[in-house]
């Protein structure tokens, strides 16, 4: 009884530690639990998750593969196995990665076939078919097939997936259409971000700013002020608007906004550089360097400003 209670405590503690992002400690607790409960699939899966969060892909792959073998009809095990394999493929040479791409695809396809409502597996297939070269199985048409399945499960996910496919298939008008549909349907931060990023990639900063302003008006997120200032600074447009938004971002800044103040200082320096106001630009870039002294791009920007 004492041993059982200790094991359950270790398992529960491991789960809590994962939620707290203390992954190494979670790994230790779960390994302790599994010594006396080696067949507990929930704990085994949690251990695989702990390995994955630490980017210990080989260990995670081994765990998830065992789970797919012990429960071959569990869609999520196949999805996680494919995900760990895919992450490993990104960290090795392209030639070595080609060897395991087939296993990645098979795992995701199996997950999708086992669970007709598995959104993450279908997203993984959309991204996989878009990113792979045609010679090794890449296919925009197959990606669109799974995007259509996503649309049946979640219109927002389906629209975003179709926008993603058309963006990479160099059909910008269709990509824009579906990203706008996602905003109309869902209107989340993610939806607005996808369209903003698309406009920036298309070298359409004016549209990016307009979309960010619409997002700020609807969502009232201070982070949008920074994003507007960033686009203005990067593209040397609407500088007064960029300055105003960055100052608003700084005056209302909290840790929840995500971007440190130093980056807003950097964008302010860029704006004053574009305005040819050297003294102001130097003031802001020095504040940026003081805030985050190890960021090389800040130091490079100061060199450029100093030559004005």
């Amino acid at each position: 009884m004492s041993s059982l209670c200790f094991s359950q405590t270790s398992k529960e503690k491991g789960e809590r530690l994962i939620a707290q992002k203390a992954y190494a400690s979670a790994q230790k607790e779960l390994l302790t639990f599994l010594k006396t409960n080696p067949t507990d699939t929930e704990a085994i899966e949690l251990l695989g998750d702990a390995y994955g969060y630490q980017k210990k892909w080989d260990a995670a792959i081994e765990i998830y593969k065992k789970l797919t073998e012990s429960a071959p009809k569990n869609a999520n095990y196949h999805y996680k196995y494919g995900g760990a394999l895919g992450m490993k493929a990104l960290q090795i040479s392209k030639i070595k990665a080609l060897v395991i791409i087939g296993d990645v695809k098979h795992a995701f396809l199996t997950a999708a076939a086992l669970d007709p409502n598995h959104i993450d597996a279908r997203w993984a297939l959309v991204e996989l078919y878009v990113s792979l070269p045609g010679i090794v199985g890449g296919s925009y048409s197959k990606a669109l097939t799974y995007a259509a399945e996503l649309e049946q499960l979640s219109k927002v996910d389906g629209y975003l997936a179709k926008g993603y496919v058309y963006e990479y298939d160099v059909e910008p008008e269709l990509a824009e259409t579906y990203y706008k549909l996602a905003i109309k349907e869902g209107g989340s931060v993610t939806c607005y971000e996808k369209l903003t990023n698309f406009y920036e990639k298309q070298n359409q900063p004016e549209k990016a700013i307009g979309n960010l302003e619409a997002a700020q008006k609807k969502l009232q997120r201070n982070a949008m002020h920074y994003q507007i200032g960033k686009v203005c600074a990067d593209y040397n447009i609407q500088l007064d608007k960029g300055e105003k938004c960055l100052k608003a971002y700084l005056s209302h800044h909290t840790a929840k906004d995500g971007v440190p103040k130093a980056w807003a200082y950097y964008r302010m320096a860029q704006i004053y550089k574009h305005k040819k106001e050297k003294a102001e630009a130097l003031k802001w870039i020095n504040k940026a360097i003081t805030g985050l002294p190890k960021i090389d791009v800040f130091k490079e920007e100061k060199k450029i400003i100093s030559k004005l």
Side-chain angles (χ1 to χ4, degrees), residues 4-41:
L4 177 61
C5 290
F6 175 75
S7 296
Q8 289 175 336
T9 301
S10 295
K11 175 182 172 180
E12 292 166 359
K13 188 175 180 181
E15 190 170 10
R16 287 198 303 272
L17 287 167
I18 287 176
Q20 296 165 7
K21 301 183 180 181
Y23 306 123
S25 297
Q27 174 189 322
K28 182 178 179 181
E29 289 293 332
L30 291 163
L31 286 170
T32 298
F33 173 83
L34 288 166
K35 285 179 181 179
T36 52
N37 300 270
T39 60
D40 189 305
T41 54

Side-chain angles (χ1 to χ4, degrees), residues 14-259:
E15 190 170 10
R16 287 198 303 272
L17 287 167
I18 287 176
Q20 296 165 7
K21 301 183 180 181
Y23 306 123
S25 297
Q27 174 189 322
K28 182 178 179 181
E29 289 293 332
L30 291 163
L31 286 170
T32 298
F33 173 83
L34 288 166
K35 285 179 181 179
T36 52
N37 300 270
T39 60
D40 189 305
T41 54
E42 183 181 359
I44 294 170
E45 183 179 3
L46 285 169
L47 179 60
D49 296 346
Y51 284 136
Y53 284 123
Q54 295 175 83
K55 299 183 180 180
K56 296 181 178 180
W57 302 121
D58 286 331
I61 288 167
E62 183 180 355
I63 292 288
Y64 294 139
K65 185 177 182 180
K66 287 181 179 178
L67 287 171
T68 62
E69 291 169 348
S70 64
K73 292 187 178 181
N74 186 304
N76 216 40
Y77 292 164
H78 288 281
Y79 167 71
K80 289 187 175 184
Y81 177 52
L85 281 171
M87 294 306 297
K88 180 178 179 179
L90 292 174
Q91 295 187 340
I92 58 180
S93 70
K94 290 183 179 180
I95 294 175
K96 290 181 178 179
L98 288 174
V99 177
I100 63 174
I101 285 298
D103 291 334
V104 175
K105 187 187 296 185
H106 181 264
F108 289 148
L109 286 169
T110 302
L114 287 169
D115 184 353
N117 298 315
H118 204 298
I119 288 177
D120 289 338
R122 283 161 176 78
W123 256 114
L125 285 164
V126 169
E127 294 178 348
L128 185 66
Y129 281 121
V130 166
S131 62
L132 286 178
I135 195 171
V136 290
S139 168
Y140 291 121
S141 62
K142 288 182 179 178
L144 283 172
T145 296
Y146 287 101
E149 289 188 13
L150 277 170
E151 189 176 344
Q152 295 302 311
L153 299 172
S154 162
K155 285 187 177 181
V156 172
D157 282 286
Y159 294 152
L160 288 174
K162 285 183 176 181
Y164 175 77
V165 176
Y166 285 125
E167 180 179 348
Y168 281 87
D169 197 21
V170 197
E171 296 192 55
E173 291 182 2
L174 283 171
E176 181 181 17
T177 295
Y178 278 104
Y179 284 141
K180 284 183 174 180
L181 282 171
I183 289 173
K184 185 177 180 180
E185 179 69 27
S188 67
V189 171
T190 298
C191 294
Y192 281 104
E193 283 179 347
K194 293 293 184 182
L195 183 57
T196 297
N197 292 338
F198 167 75
Y199 283 142
E200 289 195 68
K201 290 175 185 176
Q202 294 293 311
N203 197 30
Q204 296 178 315
E206 301 283 357
K207 283 189 173 183
I209 291 170
N211 184 58
L212 286 166
E213 288 178 319
Q216 167 59 19
K217 183 177 180 180
K218 178 178 180 179
L219 302 173
Q220 296 295 305
R221 297 289 185 92
N222 189 39
M224 297 299 176
H225 285 129
Y226 171 79
Q227 294 300 328
I228 294 170
K230 172 183 175 295
V231 175
C232 293
D234 279 342
Y235 289 90
N236 191 12
I237 60 171
Q238 300 187 42
L239 297 180
D240 290 340
K241 179 181 289 183
E243 179 185 351
K244 181 180 178 181
C245 286
L246 289 168
K247 286 182 177 178
Y249 179 75
L250 288 167
S251 66
H252 297 97
H253 183 271
T254 68
K256 292 181 180 179
D257 293 326
V259 179

Side-chain angles (χ1 to χ4, degrees), residues 287-299:
K287 285 170 69 72
I289 293 170
T290 300
L292 291 172
K294 294 184 179 181
I295 303 297
D296 290 336
V297 71
F298 294 174
K299 298 171 187 176

